Amino acid sequence: YDYIIKCNNLKKGIICFMKQKLKIFATSKWFDLLGVALVISIAIASGYLATRLDKFVDWGSWTAYVPFGLISVINVGLSMLSTRFTGKLSKLGNYLGIINAVLSGVIDYILGNKAAIITYPVTFLIYLGAIYVWNKATDKPNILSKTKLYMLVTGIVVVSFVFSYVTNYIGYKGHMSLLAYITTIAFAFSLVGNGLNIFKLSTQWQFWLLYNIVQLTKAIVQRNFANVGKYIFYIINSVGALFVWKDSEE
């Protein structure tokens, strides 16, 4: 009711109310904990927790002592925290992101994604760029003119989709199924989001929203219903973070 009075309009009041709740969702420490608990629970439910490295590689007897499953579970928690802190305009998000990129690259390569040796070093370098730029920037998002933003976004989108297609074509050995194309689109959107994050631009969250919608679609195609809840959480977080960043521009 207070929002309706403040905005002097029923429709605008409802929008203001929803926007405020989404911002609370994106910035609340309790939702940080909920997000981490959600992704870790899904990872544990998938049966990875107790697995050791020797299940996937034959690199010697020492691999039997490496808790591959536990490392994987911790890594999904780092990924969630990286996203959450970035949504709050915290530099910590990029530092957690670069750790997550290293661990994810190693894990994916071990699990058979040979293209990971190409894709994840790129993600690592992108995060290095973001850390450098963010440390020089103010606490607010950067703002570009419409022309510069259009040119930058167009360039990043084109490069991201071409790179994603080539690397996934290599990774899938030329057998581009529906799942392969969905993976290609998802990776491209993640590259666009990370690329825009280097420049600390709010526009990145629109692409993270698209990325999470594609990942939700991928989870449904794979019948991986445990991940459906995770990506619904990420979708809501993307919208909330977009509002947080946009309001911080003012």
Side-chain angles (χ1 to χ4, degrees):
Y1 183 75
D2 290 339
Y3 287 95
I4 296 173
I5 295 175
K6 182 180 178 181
C7 297
N8 197 30
N9 182 286
L10 177 60
K11 183 178 179 181
K12 288 182 178 179
I14 293 172
I15 292 173
C16 287
F17 174 78
M18 293 299 295
K19 179 180 177 180
Q20 188 61 31
K21 294 303 178 184
L22 285 166
K23 287 174 66 178
I24 290 172
F25 181 94
T27 56
S28 169
K29 292 180 180 178
W30 290 108
F31 281 110
D32 290 347
L33 295 174
L34 176 62
V36 171
L38 175 66
V39 295
I40 287 179
S41 297
I42 291 171
I44 292 174
S46 299
Y48 281 119
L49 185 62
T51 58
R52 301 282 172 171
L53 184 58
D54 61 343
K55 180 179 178 180
F56 304 99
V57 295
D58 184 20
W59 294 345
S61 58
W62 62 273
T63 57
Y65 302 100
V66 178
F68 183 79
L70 178 61
I71 294 171
S72 299
V73 169
I74 292 173
N75 189 47
V76 297
L78 287 175
S79 178
M80 173 62 75
L81 286 176
S82 172
T83 301
R84 294 286 297 175
F85 279 112
T86 302
K88 300 176 189 182
L89 285 160
S90 171
K91 297 175 184 177
L92 181 58
N94 290 322
Y95 288 103
L96 292 174
I98 204 167
I99 296 171
N100 173 246
V102 172
L103 289 176
S104 295
V106 173
I107 291 168
D108 270 20
Y109 184 80
I110 289 172
L111 291 177
N113 179 9
K114 301 310 177 186
I117 201 169
I118 303 171
T119 58
Y120 283 98
V122 171
T123 304
F124 179 85
L125 292 174
I126 289 173
Y127 271 113
L128 278 182
I131 289 170
Y132 176 79
V133 172
W134 280 50
N135 283 335
K136 287 182 170 292
T138 64
D139 292 335
K140 294 183 177 183
N142 290 324
I143 301 174
L144 298 178
S145 67
K146 288 185 178 180
T147 302
K148 288 183 178 179
L149 181 61
Y150 177 79
M151 291 176 64
L152 179 64
V153 171
T154 301
I156 291 176
V157 167
V158 171
V159 171
S160 297
F161 271 86
V162 170
F163 181 77
S164 180
Y165 180 80
V166 171
T167 52
N168 277 285
Y169 187 87
I170 294 171
Y172 282 95
K173 298 179 180 178
H175 303 294
M176 297 298 287
S177 61
L178 174 62
L179 179 60
Y181 280 111
I182 292 175
T183 302
T184 298
I185 294 170
F187 181 54
F189 280 138
S190 74
L191 286 175
V192 176
N194 279 321
L196 292 171
N197 183 55
I198 292 179
F199 301 96
K200 205 175 184 181
L201 297 170
S202 301
T203 311
Q204 69 170 289
W205 292 105
Q206 295 165 337
F207 285 95
W208 285 123
L209 175 60
L210 291 172
Y211 166 80
N212 289 315
I213 290 172
V214 173
Q215 288 287 40
L216 177 62
T217 304
K218 180 182 174 182
I220 294 172
V221 169
Q222 292 180 310
R223 297 184 179 275
N224 186 354
F225 298 113
N227 273 345
V228 170
K230 178 174 76 172
Y231 285 109
I232 289 175
F233 184 97
Y234 273 121
I235 286 169
I236 298 171
N237 185 74
S238 298
V239 178
L242 176 61
F243 288 140
V244 171
W245 277 54
K246 281 293 185 182
D247 287 354
S248 297
E249 290 177 351
E250 300 174 357

